[in-house]
C-alpha cells in the first residue's frame, strides 16, 4: 500500500504539469475564439484582471495578513510599472496579435521567451556566460535555435498540412481564417513585441519582491491596478462602441472567468507547489506541450490551418528551448531557491531566480503564468531561469 502511494506521489507533479499545459492551451483556444467572434481585447483584459483580483485578494488578505510589508512610495511606483507592463501593455498586445494570426502560431512564437529572456539578462549583466563551458555553449546554441525557428515561422509558411479531422473543411489563407497577409504580419509584430515586454515585467517583478516579499499580495495588487489602468485605456479605445462591455452568459463570459481563475490562481498555485518539490527547470520543461495541444485543438475547434513552415519552426524552437533548459539546469540552485512558491496568478510568469547576495532565498508566483524567485548567491548576480511561456494573465 505504501509503495502504491509512493508511485502516486511521484506521478502527481507530472500530472499537474500536463493538466496545467492543457489549461493554458484551453485558454488560448477560448480567447482566440472570443476575439475572432467580435469580443474586444481591451474589454477581455479588463474583465480578466478583475476576476483575477477578486480570486487572489482573499488568499492574500488571509495568508499574508501578518507578513505583508509596509507599502512605500518606491514600491507603489514599481507596482504601477508592473501593472502597466503586463495587464495593460503586454496582454493587449498579445491578444491583438493572437486575434490577427492564430492560437497555434501565437503559442509557438511565445516559446522564444526563454531566448529573449537570456539575451536581455545578458545585456543587463544579470546572466554570466563562460564560452569554454559546455553548458554556456548550450545556452547560446539554444538562443540561436529559438530565434531561427521564430524567423522561419514568420518568413516561410509552406503548404498546409492535412489531418483526418480537417477533411471537408475549407481553410482560409495563412493569415488565419480569412485575415489578410498584412493583418498576419501586424499580428506577428504584436506577438514579437509581447515577447519583448514580458521578460522586462518579470525581471522588474523579481526586483520588487526584494523589498516587498509578499507574493500573493503583489499578484493581487498588480492585477487590481492593472484592472483600473486597462479599464481607463479600454474606455478611451472603445468610447464609440459601448456595447462591447456587455458580454452576457456566453463564450465571452466563460473566457473571462476561465482566464482569471484557471490561468491565474490555480495555475500559479500548481506551479508553486511543483516548483518547490522538483525545481523550476522541471516546471519549464513542460511548456512546449501547450504549443502542441493548442495547435491540435486550434485545428479541430477553430479550423485553423497548420502549415509545414509552422511545424518545422516549432520543432526548431522546441529543440533550442531544451538546449537552453539543459544549459540552465547546471546553474547552481540552492534549496532555498526552490522553497515554497506562493500562488501564481494568470497563466504563469516566467521562472526567474534572483540572487540578492544576502543569503535569503524565496520563490514567488505571480500573474501570467510566470514565476520568480529570490535566491542565494553572491555579488547581486541574477540567474534568469528559462521562463514558462503560456498564459497571459
Amino acid at each position: 500500500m505504501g509503495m502504491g502511494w509512493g508511485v502516486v506521489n511521484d506521478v502527481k507533479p507530472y500530472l499537474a504539469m500536463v493538466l496545467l499545459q492543457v489549461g493554458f492551451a484551453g485558454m488560448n483556444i477560448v480567447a482566440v475564439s472570443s476575439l475572432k467572434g467580435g469580443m474586444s481585447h481591451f474589454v477581455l483584459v479588463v474583465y480578466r484582471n478583475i476576476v483575477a483580483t477578486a480570486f487572489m485578494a482573499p488568499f492574500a488578505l488571509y495568508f499574508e495578513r501578518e507578513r505583508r510589508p509596509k507599502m512605500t512610495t518606491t514600491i507603489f511606483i514599481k507596482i504601477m510599472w508592473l501593472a502597466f507592463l503586463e495587464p495593460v501593455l503586454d496582454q493587449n498586445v498579445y491578444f491583438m496579435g493572437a486575434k490577427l494570426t492564430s492560437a497555434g502560431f501565437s503559442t509557438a512564437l511565445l516559446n522564444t521567451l526563454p531566448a529573449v529572456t537570456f539575451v536581455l539578462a545578458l545585456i543587463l549583466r544579470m546572466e554570466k556566460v563562460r564560452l569554454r563551458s559546455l553548458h554556456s555553449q548550450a545556452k547560446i546554441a539554444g538562443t540561436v535555435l529559438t530565434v531561427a525557428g521564430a524567423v522561419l515561422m514568420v518568413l516561410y509558411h509552406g503548404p498546409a498540412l492535412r489531418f483526418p479531422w480537417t477533411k471537408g473543411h475549407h481553410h482560409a489563407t495563412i493569415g488565419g481564417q480569412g485575415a489578410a497577409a498584412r493583418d498576419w504580419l501586424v499580428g506577428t509584430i504584436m506577438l514579437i513585441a509581447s515577447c519583448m515586454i514580458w521578460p522586462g515585467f518579470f525581471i522588474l517583478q523579481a526586483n520588487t519582491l526584494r523589498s516587498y516579499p509578499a507574493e500573493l499580495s503583489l499578484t493581487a495588487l498588480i492585477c487590481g491596478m492593472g484592472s483600473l489602468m486597462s479599464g481607463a485605456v479600454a474606455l478611451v479605445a472603445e468610447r464609440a462602441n459601448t456595447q462591447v462591455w456587455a458580454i452576457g452568459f456566453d463564450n465571452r463570459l466563460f473566457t473571462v472567468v476561465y482566464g482569471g481563475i484557471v490561468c491565474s490562481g490555480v495555475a500559479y498555485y500548481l506551479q508553486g507547489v511543483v516548483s518547490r518539490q522538483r525545481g523550476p527547470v522541471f516546471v519549464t520543461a513542460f511548456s512546449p506541450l501547450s504549443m502542441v495541444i493548442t495547435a491540435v485543438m486550434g485545428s479541430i475547434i477553430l479550423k485553423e490551418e497548420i502549415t509545414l513552415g509552422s511545424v518545422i519552426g516549432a520543432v526548431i524552437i522546441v529543440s533550442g528551448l531544451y538546449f537552453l533548459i539543459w544549459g540552465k539546469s547546471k546553474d547552481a540552485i540552492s534549496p532555498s531557491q526552490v522553497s515554497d512558491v506562493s500562488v501564481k496568478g494568470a497563466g504563469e510568469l516566467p521562472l526567474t531566480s534572483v540572487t540578492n547576495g544576502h543569503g535569503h532565498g524565496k520563490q514567488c508566483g505571480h500573474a501570467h503564468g510566470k514565476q520568480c524567485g529570490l535566491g542565494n548567491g553572491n555579488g547581486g548576480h541574477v540567474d534568469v531561469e528559462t521562463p514558462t511561456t503560456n498564459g497571459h494573465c
Side-chain angles (χ1 to χ4, degrees), residues 59 65-66 78 82 98 110 124 129 141 185 187 205 211 227 230 256 270 283 286 305-306 309 326 337 358 378 381:
F59 292 100
R65 61 186 183 278
E66 296 180 355
K78 288 181 179 180
L82 288 168
L110 282 181
L124 297 177
V129 172
L185 178 60
Q205 181 201 30
S211 52
S227 301
S230 60
V256 168
L270 287 178
V283 176
F286 288 83
E305 196 174 70
I306 299 178
W326 183 80
Q337 282 179 286
H358 297 291
N378 42 47
H381 172 64

Side-chain angles (χ1 to χ4, degrees), residues 28-273:
N28 291 327
I29 297 299
V30 298
V32 171
S33 176
S34 296
L35 292 170
K36 292 191 174 182
M39 186 177 190
S40 167
H41 62 86
F42 293 108
V43 173
L44 172 58
V45 170
V46 176
Y47 285 156
R48 180 176 176 177
N49 281 282
I50 289 175
V51 171
T53 304
F55 184 77
M56 296 295 295
F59 292 100
L61 291 173
Y62 180 78
F63 290 105
E64 295 179 344
R65 61 186 183 278
E66 296 180 355
R67 67 182 186 90
R68 189 179 302 109
K70 180 181 178 181
M71 180 63 66
T72 65
T73 302
T74 301
I75 294 174
F76 181 76
I77 292 174
K78 288 181 179 180
I79 292 175
M80 289 281 288
W81 271 107
L82 288 168
F84 174 74
L85 284 174
E86 187 52 50
V88 178
L89 194 57
D90 183 43
Q91 287 186 38
N92 277 299
V93 168
Y94 173 77
F95 284 133
M96 188 183 303
K99 179 181 179 179
L100 293 175
T101 56
S102 70
F105 181 84
S106 59
T107 307
L109 204 57
L110 282 181
N111 277 306
T112 60
L113 271 172
V116 176
T117 304
F118 176 71
V119 172
L120 181 60
L122 202 59
I123 293 173
L124 297 177
R125 296 184 180 180
M126 301 167 71
E127 177 76 24
K128 292 181 179 179
V129 172
R130 299 174 180 85
L131 295 180
R132 294 184 179 180
S133 167
L134 183 61
H135 293 95
S136 290
Q137 292 171 4
K139 294 181 202 176
I140 296 173
T143 302
V144 173
L145 283 173
T146 51
V147 173
V151 171
L152 178 64
M153 290 181 65
V154 173
L155 298 181
Y156 173 69
H157 296 148
L161 302 180
R162 301 300 178 184
F163 300 95
W165 58 81
T166 62
K167 289 182 178 179
H169 294 303
H170 173 69
H171 287 278
T173 59
I174 188 62
Q177 294 189 348
R182 178 178 176 276
D183 290 337
W184 186 270
L185 178 60
V186 172
T188 300
I189 294 173
M190 293 290 182
L191 292 173
I192 293 174
S194 176
C195 293
M196 300 295 180
I197 297 168
W198 200 350
F201 165 80
F202 72 78
I203 287 176
L204 176 59
Q205 181 201 30
N207 176 271
T208 304
L209 281 165
R210 293 184 185 181
S211 52
Y212 194 81
E215 302 87 357
L216 293 173
S217 297
L218 184 62
T219 297
L221 286 169
I222 291 176
C223 288
M225 191 66 67
S227 301
L228 296 175
M229 296 172 70
S230 60
V233 172
L235 286 173
V236 174
E238 302 290 356
R239 61 186 180 278
N241 186 16
T242 57
Q243 293 182 349
V244 296
W245 293 93
I247 57 176
F249 292 92
D250 52 20
N251 183 52
R252 292 172 293 182
L253 177 62
F254 176 75
T255 301
V256 168
V257 176
Y258 183 98
I261 295 179
V262 176
C263 293
S264 292
V266 174
Y268 293 172
Y269 174 74
L270 287 178
Q271 283 187 322
V273 171

